[in-house]
Amino acid sequence: MDNNRQYIRKKAKEAKINNGFIINGVEVFVEKNVNFDIEEFLKNIFSKLPNSLINSVNKIVFGNFYFDSGYVGKSINDSIFINSEENKSALKSSLIHEMAHNYITKNYEMVFGDNKLNKEFLTKRKKLYHKIRSSGLKTMPYESFKNHKFDKKFNKYLSEEIGYNTLSHLISGIFPTCYSVSSSEEYFSVGMELFYTKKIKMLEDCPILMEKIVK
């Protein structure tokens, strides 16, 4: 187990000392210093989500977690760990995003089995590769763009060498967000997040992604 996971599990145990509750079959644990009603917050979110997404999660832990690269949440197995110090909007987006990762784990064949989503994702990666080249920016070998799985080296290239400010302009009309470029699983999870936070317009160039979300 890596240090990050050990840290998260330690913080989660601290949260469990406090009283938890169950909502829609999901166990929820909260640290004492959360300054708003988590139960009401979750009821409002869950009322707008499909059961298939909610049922993909067994446990949610809200605590003072600090994740790498500024993440608000982290999904480990069938549990989600959320940094409760963030604002409600960020918490909602992160929660749905991490739930989508759990959904993938339990419904992988439904999401990726026909290879349509990977194909759409890689077609977009190809467009981005040529756009980066034509812009005169440093580019990684094309083979790196053809890998639909998450790769730390490639993600570092996007975030640090290209930089998200520049990337946000390059992905216009191709990807909905900078982070959705990272992998096909992140592409799907970002799509779920945008769809259920009423940012559907950002998905208008992603027909297969939309098809998978509403399926």
Side-chain angles (χ1 to χ4, degrees):
M1 184 184 297
D2 59 33
N3 291 335
N4 192 37
R5 288 197 172 202
Q6 286 179 334
Y7 161 74
I8 292 170
R9 292 195 187 285
K10 179 178 180 294
K11 292 292 291 181
K13 285 180 182 178
E14 291 174 3
K16 289 181 187 181
I17 293 172
N18 304 297
N19 292 328
F21 58 90
I22 295 176
I23 178 171
N24 290 63
V26 179
E27 287 185 287
V28 181
F29 296 98
V30 188
E31 286 190 341
K32 288 180 181 178
N33 60 347
V34 176
N35 59 8
F36 63 93
D37 189 334
I38 289 286
E39 187 168 4
E40 192 61 34
F41 172 74
L42 288 176
K43 281 181 180 178
N44 182 53
I45 293 174
F46 283 6
S47 68
K48 299 174 178 65
L49 298 179
N51 288 333
S52 57
L53 188 57
I54 298 170
N55 294 340
S56 66
V57 181
N58 288 337
K59 186 188 304 176
I60 301 172
V61 181
F62 289 86
N64 295 329
F65 300 109
Y66 297 96
F67 304 110
D68 294 338
S69 305
Y71 295 132
V72 176
K74 182 76 174 177
S75 173
I76 299 178
N77 298 328
D78 57 2
S79 301
I80 294 174
F81 303 88
I82 298 287
N83 180 8
S84 56
E85 292 189 333
E86 296 293 331
N87 63 64
K88 288 184 182 180
S89 178
L91 288 176
K92 179 179 180 180
S93 293
S94 180
L95 179 61
I96 295 170
H97 184 99
E98 298 306 326
M99 289 175 78
H101 278 294
N102 281 35
Y103 179 88
I104 289 171
T105 301
K106 296 189 175 182
N107 300 276
Y108 192 88
E109 281 300 309
M110 187 182 297
V111 179
F112 293 108
D114 59 9
N115 208 38
K116 287 182 179 179
L117 193 60
N118 281 335
K119 186 176 180 180
E120 179 174 82
F121 174 78
L122 292 176
T123 297
K124 289 177 178 294
R125 276 275 193 90
K126 183 177 181 179
K127 289 179 181 178
L128 179 61
Y129 170 78
H130 289 296
K131 205 167 182 180
I132 291 173
R133 284 198 65 184
S134 64
S135 299
L137 296 166
K138 180 180 178 181
T139 184
M140 292 186 74
Y142 181 52
E143 289 300 314
S144 300
F145 285 77
K146 291 167 66 177
N147 177 17
H148 68 83
K149 295 183 179 180
F150 186 86
D151 179 81
K152 285 185 178 180
K153 186 176 179 181
F154 184 79
N155 200 52
K156 187 176 181 180
Y157 160 74
L158 293 176
S159 62
E160 296 183 14
E161 292 199 42
I162 297 295
Y164 280 166
N165 285 337
T166 300
L167 186 62
S168 64
H169 296 290
L170 292 168
I171 64 171
S172 179
I174 307 175
F175 284 98
T177 71
C178 291
Y179 200 62
S180 67
V181 184
S182 299
S183 70
S184 58
E185 290 198 11
E186 292 298 347
Y187 181 59
F188 178 80
S189 297
V190 166
M192 279 279 205
E193 172 193 336
L194 294 174
F195 185 86
Y196 288 109
T197 54
K198 299 182 179 179
K199 299 173 184 175
I200 302 175
K201 188 172 176 59
M202 294 177 70
L203 301 172
E204 61 186 9
D205 297 310
C206 311
I208 302 300
L209 178 55
M210 279 289 294
E211 178 186 309
K212 294 294 182 178
I213 291 170
V214 300
K215 200 166 186 177

